[in-house]
Amino acid sequence: MDKLIPDPPFNTTTPNAEALRTEELLKDREAIKRALNYYLDPPAPYAPTPRRPSTMYMIAPNMDTESLLAQACESLASASVLASDFATHLIGPQRNTVLAIQQIIMLAELAVNRALDNVDPQV
């Protein structure tokens, strides 16, 4: 859209014109610095709060390590069976991907079993 009236030229006839222009530039720079500091480095009340996980599904804090490891082992065993059953219905690269996921689950299950043995050795 064209303007009907052009911007007025900068008035250089006044003796203080250069000083006024410098003052305006300094004010602009200060405003820019304030805006950047506000958005890039927010003041304390606007600082991000630390993340607090949801307590909807919370494990009781007084659970012993052996019970937690046993539950993790059972969950991993179930996930391994689910992945194995799912892989039987797939072919090609998708089947290979699911079998790789199952192998990772089994490795995690082995690690949890070893930790469980370390907590309560079955001698």
Side-chain angles (χ1 to χ4, degrees):
M1 184 170 131
D2 294 330
K3 289 173 57 174
L4 296 177
I5 302 172
D7 290 334
F10 184 67
N11 188 2
T12 57
T13 57
T14 61
N16 295 343
E18 191 63 34
L20 291 174
R21 179 76 175 144
T22 304
E23 187 177 318
E24 287 176 10
L25 288 175
L26 287 175
K27 285 181 183 178
D28 288 345
R29 284 189 185 140
E30 289 173 7
I32 291 169
K33 284 182 184 178
R34 280 195 313 272
L36 288 174
N37 286 338
Y38 176 80
Y39 287 107
L40 298 179
D41 188 22
Y46 300 107
T49 57
R51 183 182 173 281
R52 290 182 15 181
S54 172
T55 57
M56 184 173 183
Y57 302 106
M58 183 175 161
I59 296 174
N62 58 351
M63 291 294 296
D64 60 310
T65 304
E66 183 180 357
S67 298
L68 293 170
L69 287 171
Q71 183 64 38
C73 183
E74 291 174 8
S75 296
L76 288 168
S78 297
S80 178
V81 170
L82 286 170
S84 177
D85 289 346
F86 185 60
T88 60
H89 300 292
L90 297 174
I91 56 172
Q94 290 86 9
R95 178 182 167 86
N96 295 338
T97 302
V98 173
L99 290 174
I101 292 170
Q102 182 199 17
Q103 185 175 13
I104 293 169
I105 292 169
M106 287 190 318
L107 290 173
E109 185 182 359
L110 288 172
V112 170
N113 276 327
R114 178 54 56 118
L116 190 56
D117 289 341
N118 290 343
V119 169
D120 185 25
Q122 304 279 330
V123 181

